[in-house]
């Protein structure tokens, strides 16, 4: 078992399979881009080995993220490899949805269970402003394709930013009345240097919730893999409306996760720049790798309070 010094069991890995992305989101990109050299990125074989050992140590859920995981060639092949690992209960992926329309069916066929799609606005112009790309239609088509392919539940992550998309919260919430998507409004977090984050952009969760309630009464509900989200349903809604208060109410006491960066470094906490390089251990056999994981888990901080990460979300795996 992977248990940290505070008695928290680690059952969830978020693995960033690339730092590359086909968007330039203003909360994620920061200053000039420098990609990791391809040879520094974990191979699919290395990711497979890591997940196999982690599952043996009690990890039950794996999420692939990035960067944008769908820009990495052959990602369906990786999913097929991981889906075959006995004991892995939940395999999911977080994507910006740009390439999802063409890939949803193949990913489902390879064994992917569900997806989270990031979408902050329904307004094409704002979409371009937030992401740097004219791509709203493609993302919406990607969400449709995910629903048709049975990648359920389809969750949609919305980062709420004052002056950018906060006015749209009620409209986004209303979307769940007609469409079986599971929205999750997320507080804007100060992760990474040189992003758009600032106190003026931050909208506290209570305010987001009040705006969402303009769409109707929010009744408590449940959705698979709910994680730290508080989930509600509008009367008659096909989907749900969830809230993740990453800033106002931290959930460190229940943290069950580790992040793996594209170059194979364990990140104990999203907010801590302290990392543990797993790469040397990946070549040393399963027992050595298991021991490295056990050691790494013991370094997980009790809480994120007081920590200020400099690494950008894109290079960590959000
Ligand atoms: N490219 C994929 C995507 O767009 O979903 C996966 C990587 S992206 C870094 C993962 C998630 O992190 C996205 O939902 C994005 O909105 C969120 N994110 C990035 N920076 C953030 C920040 N500063 N605060 C809150 N969420 C953030």
């Amino acid at each position: 078992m992977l248990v940290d010094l505070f008695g928290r069991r680690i059952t969830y890995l978020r693995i960033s399979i690339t730092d590359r992305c086909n968007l330039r989101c203003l909360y994620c990109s920061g200053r000039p881009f420098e990609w990791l050299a391809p040879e520094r990125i974990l191979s699919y074989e290395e990711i497979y080995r890591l997940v196999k050992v982690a599952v043996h140590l009690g990890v039950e859920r794996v999420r692939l993220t990035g960067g944008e995981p769908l820009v990495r060639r052959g990602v369906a092949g990786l999913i097929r490899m991981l889906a075959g690992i006995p004991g892995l209960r939940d395999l999911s992926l977080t994507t910006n949805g740009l390439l999802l329309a063409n890939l949803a069916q193949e990913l489902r066929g390879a064994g992917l269970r569900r997806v989270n799609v990031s979408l902050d606005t329904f307004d094409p112009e704002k979409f371009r402003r937030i992401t740097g790309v004219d791509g709203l239609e493609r993302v919406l088509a990607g969400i449709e394709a995910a629903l048709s392919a049975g990648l359920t539940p389809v969750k949609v992550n919305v980062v709420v930013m004052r002056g950018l998309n906060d006015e749209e919260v009620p409209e986004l919430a209303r979307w769940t009345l007609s469409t079986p998507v599971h929205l999750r409004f997320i507080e804007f977090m100060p992760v990474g240097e040189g992003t758009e984050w600032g106190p003026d952009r931050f909208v506290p969760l209570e305010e987001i919730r009040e705006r969402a309630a303009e769409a109707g009464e929010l009744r408590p509900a449940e959705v698979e893999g709910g994680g730290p989200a508080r989930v509600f349903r509008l009367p008659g809604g096909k989907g749900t409306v969830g809230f993740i208060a990453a800033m106002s109410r931290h959930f460190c006491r229940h943290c069950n996760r580790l992040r793996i960066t594209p170059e194979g470094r364990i990140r104990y906490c999203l907010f801590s720049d302290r990392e543990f390089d797993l790469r040397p251990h990946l070549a040393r056999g399963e027992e050595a790798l298991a021991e490295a994981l056990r050691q790494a888990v013991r370094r997980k901080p009790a809480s994120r309070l007081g920590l200020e990460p400099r690494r950008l979300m894109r290079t960590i795996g959000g």
Side-chain angles (χ1 to χ4, degrees):
M1 288 295 122
L2 293 173
V3 182
D4 76 4
L5 292 179
F6 308 95
R8 295 171 298 192
R9 233 188 98 200
I10 304 303
T11 55
Y12 181 24
L13 287 190
R14 294 175 73 101
I15 306 177
S16 176
I17 65 168
T18 178
D19 61 330
R20 292 177 191 240
C21 189
N22 44 2
L23 293 181
R24 298 287 177 273
C25 297
L26 38 79
Y27 42 70
C28 201
S29 302
R31 281 191 302 275
F33 270 74
E34 245 181 69
W35 305 118
L36 287 168
E39 64 275 11
R40 290 193 56 201
I41 306 266
L42 289 187
S43 69
Y44 286 163
E45 183 55 39
E46 285 172 314
I47 294 172
Y48 171 75
R49 227 179 299 149
L50 165 61
V51 173
K52 200 162 146 241
V53 169
V55 169
H56 191 66
L57 294 173
V59 164
E60 297 166 351
R61 300 169 56 199
V62 167
R63 172 173 298 279
L64 303 183
T65 178
E68 172 48 40
L70 299 189
V71 302
R72 182 155 173 191
R73 223 173 291 146
V75 64
L78 173 65
I79 285 167
R80 195 173 297 285
M81 288 159 79
L82 299 181
I85 296 177
L88 181 60
R89 280 202 302 117
D90 185 24
L91 179 58
S92 59
L93 176 136
T94 297
T95 172
N96 61 34
L98 271 187
L99 301 175
L100 192 54
N102 285 336
L103 283 172
Q105 203 70 51
E106 187 186 349
L107 296 173
R108 181 77 184 99
L112 187 68
R113 297 261 323 277
R114 58 195 184 88
V115 282
N116 284 21
V117 182
S118 306
L119 175 65
D120 302 327
T121 177
F122 278 153
D123 177 329
E125 185 46 42
K126 275 193 207 155
F127 184 94
R128 205 176 50 74
R129 177 147 180 238
I130 295 170
T131 67
V133 170
D134 222 350
L136 176 63
E137 287 305 319
R138 272 182 283 163
V139 175
L140 292 173
I143 291 172
E144 276 304 319
L147 289 168
S148 307
L151 284 168
T152 49
V154 173
K155 295 185 186 170
V156 176
N157 295 345
V158 183
V159 179
V160 181
M161 295 163 283
R162 194 174 309 284
L164 283 168
N165 63 348
D166 54 331
E167 295 294 323
E168 274 189 80
V169 167
E171 186 191 346
L172 284 157
R174 262 182 228 112
W175 186 31
T176 66
L177 288 169
S178 57
T179 313
V181 289
H182 300 275
L183 278 192
R184 292 129 57 90
F185 290 110
I186 301 173
E187 282 180 337
F188 195 3
M189 299 181 280
V191 179
E193 283 185 324
T195 72
E196 265 279 315
W197 197 90
D200 300 347
R201 284 269 185 245
F202 179 73
V203 185
L205 196 88
E206 275 318 308
E207 189 180 329
I208 300 174
R209 210 167 131 163
E210 276 167 28
R211 298 301 319 259
E214 289 171 25
E217 188 193 348
L218 293 167
R219 299 178 181 161
E222 293 216 348
V223 61
E224 189 189 329
R230 299 207 169 167
V231 182
F232 301 85
R233 193 184 293 276
L234 291 169
K238 291 193 171 148
T240 59
V241 180
F243 302 94
I244 302 183
M247 300 301 296
S248 316
R249 247 186 264 124
H250 70 92
F251 22 81
C252 305
R253 218 156 26 97
H254 305 289
C255 187
N256 60 354
R257 62 186 62 180
L258 288 180
R259 290 181 152 80
I260 312 290
T261 69
E263 70 273 46
R265 302 174 74 87
I266 291 185
R267 190 140 175 130
Y268 315 111
C269 167
L270 176 60
F271 286 83
S272 167
D273 280 325
R274 283 185 57 216
E275 294 170 353
F276 179 101
D277 192 1
L278 257 192
R279 196 114 200 223
H281 305 280
L282 278 166
R284 290 178 40 224
E286 292 192 358
E287 195 33 58
L289 184 53
E291 189 45 39
L293 280 169
R294 284 191 210 102
Q295 290 296 326
V297 162
R298 296 172 68 81
R299 301 187 193 181
K300 194 170 162 64
S303 130
R304 68 154 176 76
L305 294 179
L307 302 174
E308 282 181 22
R310 294 157 65 107
R311 251 186 107 157
L312 289 166
M313 201 71 141
R314 173 176 62 77
T315 72
I316 300 169

